[in-house]
Amino acid sequence: MAAQRGESEPMKRMFVTVAAILLGIGAVYAQQDIVNQRQTAMKENGKNLGGVLAPMAKGEKPYDQAAVDAALTKLADNAKALGSEFPENTKGLKSGDKYSASPKIWENRADFDSHIASFVKAINEAKASVKNLDALKAAVPALGKQCSSCHETYRLKEG
Ligand code: HEC
């Protein structure tokens, strides 16, 4: 019995180590998924503001209320998700793209969260007010300011 236990201990330890490594790898994949998820959401933000709303405000595209509403709804959905897309364990992880998340996010979490809240508020205001071209012209720069004021502090340019 004693000999058997003696043999099984190292086996047990090995299983535990293997399990820990697998769990660790799983966690890294999950973290990388979150980084990719927020990257995709940000690219969508770029498309909705820069590719839909801004060209309409400038008169490069005809005003289209359904397209405005769809773009603002998508912006709102993405903005609301931001709060959970920057967990502490993604600090230092990069997407391999042009930008990355600054470590300042986790040093000034309350301020970062207030940027998210102010972004959500601006989108909700736009949803309520943008029913014609003039209102869209006022909303686009107000939304753009939200993007750039967060990026100024919390987004890093790679390379
Ligand atoms: C609360 C802060 C915050 C707000 C508001 C915000 N962003 Fe970002 N954005 C970030 C951070 C942080 C990153 C870097 C994320 C990363 O790489 O993990 C980023 C990355 C990006 C990128 C780069 C994606 C890539 O290809 O690398 C784009 C484009 C972008 N944001 C567009 C926008 C637009 C457009 C808006 C407004 C409609 C906006 N963002 C609002 C924080 C914000």
Side-chain angles (χ1 to χ4, degrees), residues 31-46:
Q31 285 157 236
Q32 195 62 53
D33 271 356
I34 294 175
V35 173
N36 296 342
Q37 199 178 312
R38 71 193 182 213
Q39 202 76 4
T40 303
M42 285 294 168
K43 284 182 180 167
E44 282 176 6
N45 287 346

mmCIF file with all atom_site columns, all heavy atoms in Angstrom, residues 31-46:
data_model
loop_
_atom_site.group_PDB
_atom_site.id
_atom_site.type_symbol
_atom_site.label_atom_id
_atom_site.label_alt_id
_atom_site.label_comp_id
_atom_site.label_asym_id
_atom_site.label_entity_id
_atom_site.label_seq_id
_atom_site.pdbx_PDB_ins_code
_atom_site.Cartn_x
_atom_site.Cartn_y
_atom_site.Cartn_z
_atom_site.occupancy
_atom_site.B_iso_or_equiv
_atom_site.pdbx_formal_charge
_atom_site.auth_seq_id
_atom_site.auth_comp_id
_atom_site.auth_asym_id
_atom_site.auth_atom_id
_atom_site.pdbx_PDB_model_num
ATOM 1   N N   . GLN A 1 31 ? -8.654  35.376 -22.723 1.00 0.00 ? 31 GLN A N   1
ATOM 2   C CA  . GLN A 1 31 ? -8.257  36.783 -22.625 1.00 0.00 ? 31 GLN A CA  1
ATOM 3   C C   . GLN A 1 31 ? -8.028  37.371 -24.015 1.00 0.00 ? 31 GLN A C   1
ATOM 4   O O   . GLN A 1 31 ? -8.433  38.478 -24.306 1.00 0.00 ? 31 GLN A O   1
ATOM 5   C CB  . GLN A 1 31 ? -6.976  36.907 -21.793 1.00 0.00 ? 31 GLN A CB  1
ATOM 6   C CG  . GLN A 1 31 ? -7.216  36.719 -20.310 1.00 0.00 ? 31 GLN A CG  1
ATOM 7   C CD  . GLN A 1 31 ? -5.967  36.285 -19.565 1.00 0.00 ? 31 GLN A CD  1
ATOM 8   O OE1 . GLN A 1 31 ? -5.959  35.264 -18.905 1.00 0.00 ? 31 GLN A OE1 1
ATOM 9   N NE2 . GLN A 1 31 ? -4.909  37.047 -19.698 1.00 0.00 ? 31 GLN A NE2 1
ATOM 10  N N   . GLN A 1 32 ? -7.347  36.563 -24.872 1.00 0.00 ? 32 GLN A N   1
ATOM 11  C CA  . GLN A 1 32 ? -7.078  37.040 -26.228 1.00 0.00 ? 32 GLN A CA  1
ATOM 12  C C   . GLN A 1 32 ? -8.401  37.240 -26.987 1.00 0.00 ? 32 GLN A C   1
ATOM 13  O O   . GLN A 1 32 ? -8.537  38.181 -27.762 1.00 0.00 ? 32 GLN A O   1
ATOM 14  C CB  . GLN A 1 32 ? -6.165  36.035 -26.957 1.00 0.00 ? 32 GLN A CB  1
ATOM 15  C CG  . GLN A 1 32 ? -5.536  36.603 -28.227 1.00 0.00 ? 32 GLN A CG  1
ATOM 16  C CD  . GLN A 1 32 ? -4.631  37.819 -27.949 1.00 0.00 ? 32 GLN A CD  1
ATOM 17  O OE1 . GLN A 1 32 ? -3.738  37.759 -27.123 1.00 0.00 ? 32 GLN A OE1 1
ATOM 18  N NE2 . GLN A 1 32 ? -4.882  38.930 -28.629 1.00 0.00 ? 32 GLN A NE2 1
ATOM 19  N N   . ASP A 1 33 ? -9.374  36.365 -26.711 1.00 0.00 ? 33 ASP A N   1
ATOM 20  C CA  . ASP A 1 33 ? -10.701 36.515 -27.323 1.00 0.00 ? 33 ASP A CA  1
ATOM 21  C C   . ASP A 1 33 ? -11.319 37.851 -26.970 1.00 0.00 ? 33 ASP A C   1
ATOM 22  O O   . ASP A 1 33 ? -11.945 38.498 -27.809 1.00 0.00 ? 33 ASP A O   1
ATOM 23  C CB  . ASP A 1 33 ? -11.655 35.433 -26.789 1.00 0.00 ? 33 ASP A CB  1
ATOM 24  C CG  . ASP A 1 33 ? -11.597 34.180 -27.641 1.00 0.00 ? 33 ASP A CG  1
ATOM 25  O OD1 . ASP A 1 33 ? -10.883 34.206 -28.663 1.00 0.00 ? 33 ASP A OD1 1
ATOM 26  O OD2 . ASP A 1 33 ? -12.261 33.196 -27.282 1.00 0.00 ? 33 ASP A OD2 1
ATOM 27  N N   . ILE A 1 34 ? -11.185 38.243 -25.702 1.00 0.00 ? 34 ILE A N   1
ATOM 28  C CA  . ILE A 1 34 ? -11.763 39.511 -25.256 1.00 0.00 ? 34 ILE A CA  1
ATOM 29  C C   . ILE A 1 34 ? -11.076 40.683 -25.957 1.00 0.00 ? 34 ILE A C   1
ATOM 30  O O   . ILE A 1 34 ? -11.733 41.624 -26.397 1.00 0.00 ? 34 ILE A O   1
ATOM 31  C CB  . ILE A 1 34 ? -11.677 39.648 -23.716 1.00 0.00 ? 34 ILE A CB  1
ATOM 32  C CG1 . ILE A 1 34 ? -12.565 38.592 -23.065 1.00 0.00 ? 34 ILE A CG1 1
ATOM 33  C CG2 . ILE A 1 34 ? -12.071 41.040 -23.257 1.00 0.00 ? 34 ILE A CG2 1
ATOM 34  C CD1 . ILE A 1 34 ? -12.486 38.542 -21.561 1.00 0.00 ? 34 ILE A CD1 1
ATOM 35  N N   . VAL A 1 35 ? -9.743  40.583 -26.081 1.00 0.00 ? 35 VAL A N   1
ATOM 36  C CA  . VAL A 1 35 ? -9.001  41.648 -26.771 1.00 0.00 ? 35 VAL A CA  1
ATOM 37  C C   . VAL A 1 35 ? -9.492  41.756 -28.218 1.00 0.00 ? 35 VAL A C   1
ATOM 38  O O   . VAL A 1 35 ? -9.768  42.852 -28.722 1.00 0.00 ? 35 VAL A O   1
ATOM 39  C CB  . VAL A 1 35 ? -7.472  41.376 -26.727 1.00 0.00 ? 35 VAL A CB  1
ATOM 40  C CG1 . VAL A 1 35 ? -6.717  42.377 -27.595 1.00 0.00 ? 35 VAL A CG1 1
ATOM 41  C CG2 . VAL A 1 35 ? -6.963  41.437 -25.293 1.00 0.00 ? 35 VAL A CG2 1
ATOM 42  N N   . ASN A 1 36 ? -9.671  40.589 -28.877 1.00 0.00 ? 36 ASN A N   1
ATOM 43  C CA  . ASN A 1 36 ? -10.128 40.602 -30.270 1.00 0.00 ? 36 ASN A CA  1
ATOM 44  C C   . ASN A 1 36 ? -11.551 41.128 -30.380 1.00 0.00 ? 36 ASN A C   1
ATOM 45  O O   . ASN A 1 36 ? -11.888 41.836 -31.318 1.00 0.00 ? 36 ASN A O   1
ATOM 46  C CB  . ASN A 1 36 ? -10.036 39.199 -30.872 1.00 0.00 ? 36 ASN A CB  1
ATOM 47  C CG  . ASN A 1 36 ? -8.606  38.700 -30.943 1.00 0.00 ? 36 ASN A CG  1
ATOM 48  O OD1 . ASN A 1 36 ? -7.661  39.476 -30.865 1.00 0.00 ? 36 ASN A OD1 1
ATOM 49  N ND2 . ASN A 1 36 ? -8.426  37.396 -31.066 1.00 0.00 ? 36 ASN A ND2 1
ATOM 50  N N   . GLN A 1 37 ? -12.367 40.782 -29.372 1.00 0.00 ? 37 GLN A N   1
ATOM 51  C CA  . GLN A 1 37 ? -13.758 41.230 -29.344 1.00 0.00 ? 37 GLN A CA  1
ATOM 52  C C   . GLN A 1 37 ? -13.841 42.768 -29.267 1.00 0.00 ? 37 GLN A C   1
ATOM 53  O O   . GLN A 1 37 ? -14.600 43.388 -29.998 1.00 0.00 ? 37 GLN A O   1
ATOM 54  C CB  . GLN A 1 37 ? -14.385 40.624 -28.104 1.00 0.00 ? 37 GLN A CB  1
ATOM 55  C CG  . GLN A 1 37 ? -15.884 40.548 -28.057 1.00 0.00 ? 37 GLN A CG  1
ATOM 56  C CD  . GLN A 1 37 ? -16.286 39.859 -26.747 1.00 0.00 ? 37 GLN A CD  1
ATOM 57  O OE1 . GLN A 1 37 ? -15.748 38.815 -26.380 1.00 0.00 ? 37 GLN A OE1 1
ATOM 58  N NE2 . GLN A 1 37 ? -17.200 40.461 -26.015 1.00 0.00 ? 37 GLN A NE2 1
ATOM 59  N N   . ARG A 1 38 ? -13.023 43.364 -28.384 1.00 0.00 ? 38 ARG A N   1
ATOM 60  C CA  . ARG A 1 38 ? -13.112 44.832 -28.258 1.00 0.00 ? 38 ARG A CA  1
ATOM 61  C C   . ARG A 1 38 ? -12.517 45.512 -29.493 1.00 0.00 ? 38 ARG A C   1
ATOM 62  O O   . ARG A 1 38 ? -12.972 46.578 -29.893 1.00 0.00 ? 38 ARG A O   1
ATOM 63  C CB  . ARG A 1 38 ? -12.463 45.305 -26.953 1.00 0.00 ? 38 ARG A CB  1
ATOM 64  C CG  . ARG A 1 38 ? -10.958 45.219 -26.887 1.00 0.00 ? 38 ARG A CG  1
ATOM 65  C CD  . ARG A 1 38 ? -10.489 45.417 -25.449 1.00 0.00 ? 38 ARG A CD  1
ATOM 66  N NE  . ARG A 1 38 ? -9.054  45.399 -25.342 1.00 0.00 ? 38 ARG A NE  1
ATOM 67  C CZ  . ARG A 1 38 ? -8.385  44.922 -24.293 1.00 0.00 ? 38 ARG A CZ  1
ATOM 68  N NH1 . ARG A 1 38 ? -9.027  44.422 -23.263 1.00 0.00 ? 38 ARG A NH1 1
ATOM 69  N NH2 . ARG A 1 38 ? -7.075  44.961 -24.255 1.00 0.00 ? 38 ARG A NH2 1
ATOM 70  N N   . GLN A 1 39 ? -11.526 44.857 -30.091 1.00 0.00 ? 39 GLN A N   1
ATOM 71  C CA  . GLN A 1 39 ? -10.933 45.380 -31.317 1.00 0.00 ? 39 GLN A CA  1
ATOM 72  C C   . GLN A 1 39 ? -11.982 45.408 -32.438 1.00 0.00 ? 39 GLN A C   1
ATOM 73  O O   . GLN A 1 39 ? -12.122 46.394 -33.141 1.00 0.00 ? 39 GLN A O   1
ATOM 74  C CB  . GLN A 1 39 ? -9.774  44.439 -31.706 1.00 0.00 ? 39 GLN A CB  1
ATOM 75  C CG  . GLN A 1 39 ? -8.750  45.084 -32.590 1.00 0.00 ? 39 GLN A CG  1
ATOM 76  C CD  . GLN A 1 39 ? -7.858  46.022 -31.811 1.00 0.00 ? 39 GLN A CD  1
ATOM 77  O OE1 . GLN A 1 39 ? -7.964  46.133 -30.599 1.00 0.00 ? 39 GLN A OE1 1
ATOM 78  N NE2 . GLN A 1 39 ? -7.010  46.725 -32.505 1.00 0.00 ? 39 GLN A NE2 1
ATOM 79  N N   . THR A 1 40 ? -12.743 44.308 -32.556 1.00 0.00 ? 40 THR A N   1
ATOM 80  C CA  . THR A 1 40 ? -13.798 44.228 -33.566 1.00 0.00 ? 40 THR A CA  1
ATOM 81  C C   . THR A 1 40 ? -14.864 45.295 -33.301 1.00 0.00 ? 40 THR A C   1
ATOM 82  O O   . THR A 1 40 ? -15.325 45.968 -34.224 1.00 0.00 ? 40 THR A O   1
ATOM 83  C CB  . THR A 1 40 ? -14.458 42.830 -33.533 1.00 0.00 ? 40 THR A CB  1
ATOM 84  O OG1 . THR A 1 40 ? -13.432 41.867 -33.732 1.00 0.00 ? 40 THR A OG1 1
ATOM 85  C CG2 . THR A 1 40 ? -15.505 42.670 -34.607 1.00 0.00 ? 40 THR A CG2 1
ATOM 86  N N   . ALA A 1 41 ? -15.235 45.464 -32.018 1.00 0.00 ? 41 ALA A N   1
ATOM 87  C CA  . ALA A 1 41 ? -16.244 46.462 -31.660 1.00 0.00 ? 41 ALA A CA  1
ATOM 88  C C   . ALA A 1 41 ? -15.758 47.864 -32.024 1.00 0.00 ? 41 ALA A C   1
ATOM 89  O O   . ALA A 1 41 ? -16.527 48.680 -32.554 1.00 0.00 ? 41 ALA A O   1
ATOM 90  C CB  . ALA A 1 41 ? -16.555 46.381 -30.168 1.00 0.00 ? 41 ALA A CB  1
ATOM 91  N N   . MET A 1 42 ? -14.477 48.148 -31.770 1.00 0.00 ? 42 MET A N   1
ATOM 92  C CA  . MET A 1 42 ? -13.925 49.471 -32.080 1.00 0.00 ? 42 MET A CA  1
ATOM 93  C C   . MET A 1 42 ? -13.920 49.714 -33.585 1.00 0.00 ? 42 MET A C   1
ATOM 94  O O   . MET A 1 42 ? -14.208 50.813 -34.054 1.00 0.00 ? 42 MET A O   1
ATOM 95  C CB  . MET A 1 42 ? -12.505 49.612 -31.507 1.00 0.00 ? 42 MET A CB  1
ATOM 96  C CG  . MET A 1 42 ? -12.483 49.811 -30.010 1.00 0.00 ? 42 MET A CG  1
ATOM 97  S SD  . MET A 1 42 ? -13.234 51.398 -29.544 1.00 0.00 ? 42 MET A SD  1
ATOM 98  C CE  . MET A 1 42 ? -13.393 51.157 -27.773 1.00 0.00 ? 42 MET A CE  1
ATOM 99  N N   . LYS A 1 43 ? -13.593 48.655 -34.342 1.00 0.00 ? 43 LYS A N   1
ATOM 100 C CA  . LYS A 1 43 ? -13.607 48.806 -35.809 1.00 0.00 ? 43 LYS A CA  1
ATOM 101 C C   . LYS A 1 43 ? -15.020 49.098 -36.297 1.00 0.00 ? 43 LYS A C   1
ATOM 102 O O   . LYS A 1 43 ? -15.222 49.888 -37.219 1.00 0.00 ? 43 LYS A O   1
ATOM 103 C CB  . LYS A 1 43 ? -13.060 47.546 -36.474 1.00 0.00 ? 43 LYS A CB  1
ATOM 104 C CG  . LYS A 1 43 ? -11.558 47.478 -36.370 1.00 0.00 ? 43 LYS A CG  1
ATOM 105 C CD  . LYS A 1 43 ? -10.979 46.260 -37.060 1.00 0.00 ? 43 LYS A CD  1
ATOM 106 C CE  . LYS A 1 43 ? -9.469  46.277 -36.892 1.00 0.00 ? 43 LYS A CE  1
ATOM 107 N NZ  . LYS A 1 43 ? -8.826  45.032 -37.238 1.00 0.00 ? 43 LYS A NZ  1
ATOM 108 N N   . GLU A 1 44 ? -16.000 48.445 -35.655 1.00 0.00 ? 44 GLU A N   1
ATOM 109 C CA  . GLU A 1 44 ? -17.407 48.723 -36.002 1.00 0.00 ? 44 GLU A CA  1
ATOM 110 C C   . GLU A 1 44 ? -17.764 50.167 -35.669 1.00 0.00 ? 44 GLU A C   1
ATOM 111 O O   . GLU A 1 44 ? -18.473 50.827 -36.427 1.00 0.00 ? 44 GLU A O   1
ATOM 112 C CB  . GLU A 1 44 ? -18.334 47.774 -35.241 1.00 0.00 ? 44 GLU A CB  1
ATOM 113 C CG  . GLU A 1 44 ? -18.394 46.388 -35.846 1.00 0.00 ? 44 GLU A CG  1
ATOM 114 C CD  . GLU A 1 44 ? -19.245 45.430 -35.010 1.00 0.00 ? 44 GLU A CD  1
ATOM 115 O OE1 . GLU A 1 44 ? -19.876 45.859 -34.018 1.00 0.00 ? 44 GLU A OE1 1
ATOM 116 O OE2 . GLU A 1 44 ? -19.252 44.243 -35.357 1.00 0.00 ? 44 GLU A OE2 1
ATOM 117 N N   . ASN A 1 45 ? -17.271 50.652 -34.515 1.00 0.00 ? 45 ASN A N   1
ATOM 118 C CA  . ASN A 1 45 ? -17.497 52.060 -34.152 1.00 0.00 ? 45 ASN A CA  1
ATOM 119 C C   . ASN A 1 45 ? -16.991 52.964 -35.263 1.00 0.00 ? 45 ASN A C   1
ATOM 120 O O   . ASN A 1 45 ? -17.660 53.919 -35.653 1.00 0.00 ? 45 ASN A O   1
ATOM 121 C CB  . ASN A 1 45 ? -16.737 52.423 -32.863 1.00 0.00 ? 45 ASN A CB  1
ATOM 122 C CG  . ASN A 1 45 ? -17.368 51.821 -31.624 1.00 0.00 ? 45 ASN A CG  1
ATOM 123 O OD1 . ASN A 1 45 ? -18.491 51.358 -31.659 1.00 0.00 ? 45 ASN A OD1 1
ATOM 124 N ND2 . ASN A 1 45 ? -16.625 51.840 -30.531 1.00 0.00 ? 45 ASN A ND2 1
ATOM 125 N N   . GLY A 1 46 ? -15.779 52.633 -35.742 1.00 0.00 ? 46 GLY A N   1
ATOM 126 C CA  . GLY A 1 46 ? -15.175 53.419 -36.822 1.00 0.00 ? 46 GLY A CA  1
ATOM 127 C C   . GLY A 1 46 ? -16.060 53.421 -38.059 1.00 0.00 ? 46 GLY A C   1
ATOM 128 O O   . GLY A 1 46 ? -16.268 54.458 -38.690 1.00 0.00 ? 46 GLY A O   1
#
